[in-house]
Amino acid sequence: DQQVKQNSPSLSVQEGRISILNCDYTNSMFDYFLWYKKYPAEGPTFLISISSIKDKNEDGRFTVFLNKSAKHLSLHIVPSQPGDSAVYFCAASGHSGTYKYIFGTGTRLKVLA
Amino acid sequence: DAGVIQSPRHEVTEMGQEVTLRCKPISGHDYLFWYRQTMMRGLELLIYFNNNVPIDDSGMPEDRFSAKMPNASFSTLKIQPSEPRDSAVYFCASSARLGDGGNEQFFGPGTRLTVL
């Protein structure tokens, strides 16, 4: 049973527009969430994280929003750039400090020039 | 630092053969993780170590899979015998202890395993 779900396997966005990637989770004990980005033939790299005590965390063009009541988080990329084209994985952990992450299946983002 | 190093990058083998994947974590990192990536299940955690000791191996699919970490700079994931359904990309990742930069895990480039 997938505890972390990314229901959109792919997404295409025009350069300069906003990209919104979504992630849902089922376990209410999760309290730390991360996004990783993965280019072909490379390992995933950390992008941004958020603790459950917050509902928003921003880093440059990347913002993660957390809605605990809906068990939903989203990653916004504004403005989108062709170099953002990659697979994005959402991950969650049971409590801050644990090292066991549950990853989603990923969303492939394609930013069109 | 060279980052997490994995070898080989690609492995093609026949069903029934033994496969050994290797990982060198980032120096100074106390935690090491083995993941498997498939289209259907995404990134699955197989096992992780803390200070060379296996902490959680609940993700290891079956007894055909085993992992060791004989020292702080080396780990292996072995599949014996291998089966076609083991075909996937296997990632190794490492992480510093909490407080030294947080929970970020650093991934290696992965080993693409194909079992014929």
Side-chain angles (χ1 to χ4, degrees):
Chain A
D1 180 35
Q2 285 281 109
Q3 296 186 67
V4 177
K5 299 178 184 179
Q6 295 177 256
N7 292 318
S8 298
S10 64
L11 174 69
S12 291
V13 172
Q14 284 295 132
E15 181 179 6
R17 306 296 290 267
I18 184 171
S19 295
I20 300 176
L21 295 93
N22 294 303
C23 178
D24 297 294
Y25 60 95
T26 58
N27 190 336
S28 58
M29 297 302 291
F30 287 150
D31 68 353
Y32 191 73
F33 305 89
L34 309 91
W35 285 94
Y36 276 75
K37 178 167 75 171
K38 183 186 179 303
Y39 292 119
E42 295 182 11
T45 55
F46 171 76
L47 188 57
I48 192 169
S49 64
I50 188 167
S51 165
S52 61
I53 61 173
K54 297 183 176 181
D55 54 19
K56 176 183 174 181
N57 187 27
E58 195 171 350
D59 183 1
R61 297 185 297 113
F62 302 91
T63 303
V64 56
F65 295 92
L66 176 62
N67 182 333
K68 289 185 289 293
S69 61
K71 295 190 181 69
H72 177 83
L73 66 156
S74 60
L75 175 68
H76 292 211
I77 307 173
V78 183
S80 302
Q81 299 174 352
D84 297 329
S85 297
V87 177
Y88 290 78
F89 290 97
C90 165
S93 69
H95 52 86
S96 299
T98 187
Y99 289 84
K100 184 171 180 176
Y101 294 157
I102 307 298
F103 281 85
T105 52
T107 296
R108 182 176 302 276
L109 173 66
K110 189 170 185 179
V111 180
L112 307 169
Chain B
D1 198 318
V4 176
I5 299 172
Q6 290 187 249
S7 65
R9 292 295 308 274
H10 301 273
E11 177 80 31
V12 180
T13 190
E14 292 190 346
M15 183 173 65
Q17 296 297 305
E18 178 180 295
V19 174
T20 299
L21 311 181
R22 297 172 176 81
C23 175
K24 177 178 167 53
I26 293 173
S27 177
H29 280 187
D30 294 335
Y31 291 83
L32 183 138
F33 308 83
W34 282 101
Y35 289 90
R36 176 171 68 176
Q37 183 193 5
T38 61
M39 290 293 290
M40 291 299 295
R41 300 181 66 85
L43 274 167
E44 297 176 275
L45 176 66
L46 301 177
I47 186 172
Y48 82 92
F49 296 83
N50 176 215
N51 291 324
N52 314 337
V53 176
I55 302 301
D56 186 337
D57 65 353
S58 60
M60 295 287 262
E62 47 198 274
D63 292 344
R64 298 184 297 107
F65 285 69
S66 62
K68 294 182 179 179
M69 192 164 186
N71 57 62
S73 59
F74 184 65
S75 177
T76 59
L77 178 68
K78 186 177 292 187
I79 309 172
Q80 166 62 20
S82 58
E83 296 182 2
R85 61 192 166 119
D86 302 330
S87 297
V89 181
Y90 291 81
F91 289 101
C92 176
S94 70
S95 180
R97 70 177 70 86
L98 185 66
D100 294 339
N103 294 345
E104 181 183 349
Q105 295 180 14
F106 295 82
F107 283 76
T111 295
R112 181 174 293 278
L113 173 64
T114 303
V115 183
L116 303 174

